[in-house]
Amino acid sequence: RRLQLGGRVSLSEMSEMSEREDNSDPDDSYDVGIRFGDLGGWHALAVDFGGQMYAWGGNEYGQCGVDDDSCSTAGNGVHVSLHISIPLPVLSGIRIKQVACGGMNSFAVTEHTGDVFQWGQCAGSEKEPNREPGQVKGLHEVVMLAAGSFHALALQEDGRVLSWGNGDYGQLGLGSPGNEDAPR
């Protein structure tokens, strides 16, 4: 089954349609209504009206959150090592209220708790990329998140702004240049 963006079919409706149909044409597709999204350097994230997030595009650093080689195509006339050619669900079962794409990483804010998930090349870190979403420790009640190429800022309900990532030019706003692996 292929997923096309732009219609108004929810995931539950997709599931019901899938259960009713038997071995239909593999080129059939479902339209999913998209509420919002964001673009990174080589990847994109979108969230449907039910809060389900989808990712596609360059995935060489795991920025699509898909760690499944069967979903990726290597080479095939493009210069990236791995890419996701069709939108795939990420963080299934968790309702997302905001997404942000950095240069080689991605972020999602959960709907009810304002928890933040991050994946791909961690902002400002020299560590191995996280190919699957992981919760950012210490971040809760986030109402808005912004991602730069190599850093991120999170606004919490209490008005505090936390930052992390590459701060070589002072872009973290912490009073001096330097990198931070965790929000501060």
Side-chain angles (χ1 to χ4, degrees):
R1 292 264 181 255
R2 269 193 348 214
L3 173 69
Q4 290 183 177
L5 305 177
R8 283 201 166 259
V9 177
S10 71
L11 284 180
S12 60
E13 290 171 313
M14 279 179 26
S15 177
E16 289 172 13
M17 287 189 284
S18 180
E19 289 172 9
R20 287 193 309 255
E21 296 175 3
D22 58 348
N23 297 334
S24 57
D25 185 348
D27 288 332
D28 284 351
S29 60
Y30 296 119
D31 285 334
V32 174
I34 296 302
R35 211 169 92 203
F36 56 86
D38 197 29
L39 303 173
W42 298 289
H43 70 294
L45 298 175
V47 177
D48 70 15
F49 286 93
Q52 174 62 57
M53 178 175 51
Y54 300 90
W56 67 98
N59 194 39
E60 61 275 24
Y61 296 95
Q63 64 266 44
C64 286
V66 178
D67 192 17
D68 181 354
D69 290 337
S70 68
C71 296
S72 298
T73 45
N76 291 352
V78 297
H79 68 279
V80 295
S81 57
L82 295 172
H83 67 275
I84 307 300
S85 297
I86 58 171
L88 295 175
V90 180
L91 287 174
S92 292
I94 299 175
R95 292 180 62 94
I96 302 301
K97 71 176 181 180
Q98 188 199 347
V99 293
C101 295
M104 297 171 286
N105 52 23
S106 299
F107 303 87
V109 181
T110 62
E111 191 168 285
H112 298 293
T113 60
D115 293 337
V116 174
F117 285 83
Q118 171 179 296
W119 60 99
Q121 183 63 51
C122 293
S125 177
E126 298 297 322
K127 298 175 185 172
E128 281 293 308
N130 293 332
R131 300 196 68 77
E132 294 180 352
Q135 193 168 347
V136 178
K137 291 177 176 41
L139 270 184
H140 307 286
E141 300 178 344
V142 170
V143 295
M144 189 181 302
L145 189 132
S149 291
F150 304 105
H151 69 294
L153 302 172
L155 172 64
Q156 294 183 305
E157 276 184 21
D158 62 7
R160 291 186 310 142
V161 175
L162 301 175
S163 61
W164 70 103
N166 183 308
D168 288 344
Y169 302 99
Q171 65 268 44
L172 299 181
L174 300 175
S176 62
N179 296 348
E180 294 292 333
D181 284 339
R184 214 184 99 167

